[in-house]
Amino acid sequence: MRALLSRIWRGGSARRSLDAGAAGIRWEGTPALSNLNSALQAASGPIRQRAAYFISNNPYACRAVHALTASAVGTGIQPQSRHGSAAVRERLHNGFAAWAAQADAAQRMDFYGLQALVFRQLVETGESFVRFIWTTDRRGRPTFRLQVIHPDQIDPTMNRDLAGGARIRAGVELDSFGAPVAYHVLPGRPSDMAGVNWSPIRVPAEDMVHVMETLEPGQVRGLSAFASVLLRLSTLDKAEDAQLVRQMVAAMLMGFVVDPNGDAAGVAGEQTGSVLVGGLEPGTLKTLAAGQDIKFSEPANVGDGADFLKGQLRAVAAGLGITYEMLTGDLSGVNYSSIRAGLIEHRRRVDALRWHVLIPQLCTPVWERFVRLQVLLGEIPAADFDRAPDAWESVDWFPPAWPWVDPLKDVEAEKAAVDAGFKSRAQVINERGEDPDTVDAMRAADKDREGRLGLDSHGAAPAPQGAPKAEESLLPPADGAPTNSEKDTDDE
């Protein structure tokens, strides 16, 4: 008994109940991740390069990036000012629309196109850097543009300790609390250097935004969304390629001639050295010499593999946060309930990336800088801006509405929620990516136009005075029924 109690006290039972932390033959050779920053320092470059390769060459990886970007950004996440004055809101919205059209420092896309580019980099490389560039607009007034910088340009080799607990890690300068102070940026990507010895440029943190999903405290650089699926994608790509080659060989290689004499007598074909190349056509009969035989090739059957392939693709989809159907385009096994359930989980993941990463790290800093510029230029009346800037900088962001799986059911559900008082009309409109003020103004304009044109609520012109009703003019009277003229006489 004492020996048993001694073993329990030494932790034998505790070790057995925590298998994940135990030792043993089943854990031999299994790698472990102790520090994400250290792992990223060594592996982020190969991960980014491999992810870029598969996105460019593998159809599943390419589709995954497009699907995630379309879900998260779509046509653009648009701002709506929360200022109390409708006139100020309108001026801010109009000014931002004009600025957004010229937001790209490279002059290739607008602000909403940059959102898609930043999110695409976030998925592919795990992070994206955007620099604020001060310049002038077409009228010569001060303005700013956005320059998207590839993560390779933030010098990953720069690591040093600074005074007072500050430090530089992988090109990011941090204070003693780990907050970014500056970024050390190479003028170009290392792969574009072509032998030029570039020195990094120190860019203050207030002139740069770093968009990334933080996975552990103290994380400095981002981790690609493909990190958990790259090896599986690579192996799956090779397996599919081998299967394609197997099918091709099975179709091309028909059989072998067994010729004891070595001269292929009686078999037609074109001989090159000791190799005879021949063929068979449908309905052809061949006569072989005595002692000759033909053996047909039967490649090994390794099974259909369709279910195994689907299982691997489901694992890839799970790692990327999308559904199997979105990854493959295969809708053969879904119904309304199953695809809706899958999309709900996917949309939760996308909403987390929107509201925890893209909007606070990119969209809001851009809006705040734009509002401050408008105040400095005198475009909006803000005499007390320094005392209470929140009144002008407060903003709501509205991504494009999720497309409906069943429009009728979803509209009826929204209407029921509004009628029951669970939601407001404005909330429903906002969730669809629209501005309630704009929608109401358009509805009022529709009613005014209908009134001026004499249209009913469905857009149809009313019948002229005295015109017979449709059913009276088109349908003949029933047997024995009085005609219209007889009705008029009876009424008199």
mmCIF file of all heavy atoms in Angstrom, residues 303-320:
data_model
loop_
_atom_site.group_PDB
_atom_site.id
_atom_site.type_symbol
_atom_site.label_atom_id
_atom_site.label_comp_id
_atom_site.label_asym_id
_atom_site.label_seq_id
_atom_site.Cartn_x
_atom_site.Cartn_y
_atom_site.Cartn_z
ATOM 1 N N GLY A 303 -7.302 2.405 -55.768
ATOM 2 C CA GLY A 303 -8.577 2.836 -55.220
ATOM 3 C C GLY A 303 -9.054 4.134 -55.834
ATOM 4 O O GLY A 303 -8.306 4.866 -56.479
ATOM 5 N N ASP A 304 -10.316 4.396 -55.649
ATOM 6 C CA ASP A 304 -10.921 5.599 -56.217
ATOM 7 C C ASP A 304 -10.320 6.855 -55.588
ATOM 8 O O ASP A 304 -9.939 7.804 -56.251
ATOM 9 C CB ASP A 304 -12.432 5.537 -56.010
ATOM 10 C CG ASP A 304 -13.146 6.732 -56.600
ATOM 11 O OD1 ASP A 304 -12.495 7.487 -57.345
ATOM 12 O OD2 ASP A 304 -14.340 6.913 -56.324
ATOM 13 N N GLY A 305 -10.251 6.879 -54.272
ATOM 14 C CA GLY A 305 -9.624 8.010 -53.581
ATOM 15 C C GLY A 305 -10.468 9.255 -53.492
ATOM 16 O O GLY A 305 -10.019 10.271 -52.957
ATOM 17 N N ALA A 306 -11.721 9.225 -53.998
ATOM 18 C CA ALA A 306 -12.539 10.435 -53.983
ATOM 19 C C ALA A 306 -12.858 10.867 -52.558
ATOM 20 O O ALA A 306 -12.755 12.053 -52.217
ATOM 21 C CB ALA A 306 -13.821 10.200 -54.777
ATOM 22 N N ASP A 307 -13.228 9.919 -51.706
ATOM 23 C CA ASP A 307 -13.558 10.261 -50.318
ATOM 24 C C ASP A 307 -12.325 10.758 -49.574
ATOM 25 O O ASP A 307 -12.408 11.693 -48.763
ATOM 26 C CB ASP A 307 -14.146 9.046 -49.602
ATOM 27 C CG ASP A 307 -15.533 8.693 -50.127
ATOM 28 O OD1 ASP A 307 -16.190 9.591 -50.698
ATOM 29 O OD2 ASP A 307 -15.944 7.532 -49.962
ATOM 30 N N PHE A 308 -11.178 10.123 -49.845
ATOM 31 C CA PHE A 308 -9.944 10.574 -49.192
ATOM 32 C C PHE A 308 -9.593 11.988 -49.628
ATOM 33 O O PHE A 308 -9.194 12.820 -48.819
ATOM 34 C CB PHE A 308 -8.808 9.612 -49.527
ATOM 35 C CG PHE A 308 -7.492 10.011 -48.919
ATOM 36 C CD1 PHE A 308 -7.228 9.770 -47.578
ATOM 37 C CD2 PHE A 308 -6.514 10.629 -49.689
ATOM 38 C CE1 PHE A 308 -6.009 10.150 -47.021
ATOM 39 C CE2 PHE A 308 -5.300 10.997 -49.137
ATOM 40 C CZ PHE A 308 -5.049 10.748 -47.793
ATOM 41 N N LEU A 309 -9.738 12.260 -50.927
ATOM 42 C CA LEU A 309 -9.450 13.602 -51.437
ATOM 43 C C LEU A 309 -10.368 14.635 -50.797
ATOM 44 O O LEU A 309 -9.914 15.711 -50.390
ATOM 45 C CB LEU A 309 -9.614 13.622 -52.954
ATOM 46 C CG LEU A 309 -9.474 14.991 -53.640
ATOM 47 C CD1 LEU A 309 -8.086 15.557 -53.412
ATOM 48 C CD2 LEU A 309 -9.769 14.879 -55.130
ATOM 49 N N LYS A 310 -11.650 14.313 -50.674
ATOM 50 C CA LYS A 310 -12.582 15.247 -50.037
ATOM 51 C C LYS A 310 -12.192 15.507 -48.581
ATOM 52 O O LYS A 310 -12.290 16.635 -48.097
ATOM 53 C CB LYS A 310 -14.003 14.701 -50.108
ATOM 54 C CG LYS A 310 -14.647 14.805 -51.486
ATOM 55 C CD LYS A 310 -16.096 14.354 -51.430
ATOM 56 C CE LYS A 310 -16.762 14.525 -52.796
ATOM 57 N NZ LYS A 310 -18.189 14.107 -52.772
ATOM 58 N N GLY A 311 -11.753 14.453 -47.898
ATOM 59 C CA GLY A 311 -11.332 14.634 -46.505
ATOM 60 C C GLY A 311 -10.151 15.577 -46.385
ATOM 61 O O GLY A 311 -10.101 16.424 -45.482
ATOM 62 N N GLN A 312 -9.191 15.445 -47.291
ATOM 63 C CA GLN A 312 -8.033 16.338 -47.253
ATOM 64 C C GLN A 312 -8.430 17.780 -47.575
ATOM 65 O O GLN A 312 -7.944 18.729 -46.956
ATOM 66 C CB GLN A 312 -6.973 15.855 -48.247
ATOM 67 C CG GLN A 312 -6.448 14.462 -47.959
ATOM 68 C CD GLN A 312 -5.920 14.322 -46.544
ATOM 69 O OE1 GLN A 312 -5.056 15.070 -46.100
ATOM 70 N NE2 GLN A 312 -6.471 13.375 -45.809
ATOM 71 N N LEU A 313 -9.317 17.946 -48.541
ATOM 72 C CA LEU A 313 -9.760 19.293 -48.898
ATOM 73 C C LEU A 313 -10.597 19.913 -47.786
ATOM 74 O O LEU A 313 -10.558 21.128 -47.582
ATOM 75 C CB LEU A 313 -10.551 19.253 -50.208
ATOM 76 C CG LEU A 313 -9.714 18.912 -51.452
ATOM 77 C CD1 LEU A 313 -10.613 18.765 -52.667
ATOM 78 C CD2 LEU A 313 -8.670 19.990 -51.700
ATOM 79 N N ARG A 314 -11.345 19.107 -47.071
ATOM 80 C CA ARG A 314 -12.098 19.632 -45.915
ATOM 81 C C ARG A 314 -11.140 20.115 -44.829
ATOM 82 O O ARG A 314 -11.402 21.121 -44.168
ATOM 83 C CB ARG A 314 -13.043 18.561 -45.370
ATOM 84 C CG ARG A 314 -14.259 18.314 -46.250
ATOM 85 C CD ARG A 314 -15.296 17.445 -45.541
ATOM 86 N NE ARG A 314 -16.486 17.293 -46.351
ATOM 87 C CZ ARG A 314 -16.753 16.234 -47.106
ATOM 88 N NH1 ARG A 314 -15.896 15.217 -47.134
ATOM 89 N NH2 ARG A 314 -17.860 16.172 -47.827
ATOM 90 N N ALA A 315 -10.035 19.393 -44.644
ATOM 91 C CA ALA A 315 -9.034 19.830 -43.670
ATOM 92 C C ALA A 315 -8.401 21.152 -44.104
ATOM 93 O O ALA A 315 -8.177 22.046 -43.273
ATOM 94 C CB ALA A 315 -7.960 18.753 -43.502
ATOM 95 N N VAL A 316 -8.115 21.309 -45.394
ATOM 96 C CA VAL A 316 -7.563 22.567 -45.897
ATOM 97 C C VAL A 316 -8.562 23.706 -45.687
ATOM 98 O O VAL A 316 -8.197 24.803 -45.236
ATOM 99 C CB VAL A 316 -7.195 22.433 -47.387
ATOM 100 C CG1 VAL A 316 -6.807 23.785 -47.969
ATOM 101 C CG2 VAL A 316 -6.048 21.440 -47.563
ATOM 102 N N ALA A 317 -9.831 23.455 -46.014
ATOM 103 C CA ALA A 317 -10.858 24.486 -45.840
ATOM 104 C C ALA A 317 -10.992 24.879 -44.369
ATOM 105 O O ALA A 317 -11.132 26.066 -44.040
ATOM 106 C CB ALA A 317 -12.193 23.979 -46.382
ATOM 107 N N ALA A 318 -10.940 23.890 -43.473
ATOM 108 C CA ALA A 318 -11.045 24.187 -42.045
ATOM 109 C C ALA A 318 -9.880 25.055 -41.580
ATOM 110 O O ALA A 318 -10.060 25.993 -40.793
ATOM 111 C CB ALA A 318 -11.096 22.883 -41.252
ATOM 112 N N GLY A 319 -8.671 24.743 -42.055
ATOM 113 C CA GLY A 319 -7.516 25.530 -41.653
ATOM 114 C C GLY A 319 -7.566 26.959 -42.138
ATOM 115 O O GLY A 319 -7.033 27.859 -41.484
ATOM 116 N N LEU A 320 -8.218 27.192 -43.287
ATOM 117 C CA LEU A 320 -8.294 28.540 -43.852
ATOM 118 C C LEU A 320 -9.541 29.298 -43.408
ATOM 119 O O LEU A 320 -9.678 30.478 -43.718
ATOM 120 C CB LEU A 320 -8.260 28.456 -45.379
ATOM 121 C CG LEU A 320 -6.946 27.954 -45.978
ATOM 122 C CD1 LEU A 320 -7.092 27.743 -47.481
ATOM 123 C CD2 LEU A 320 -5.813 28.937 -45.696
#
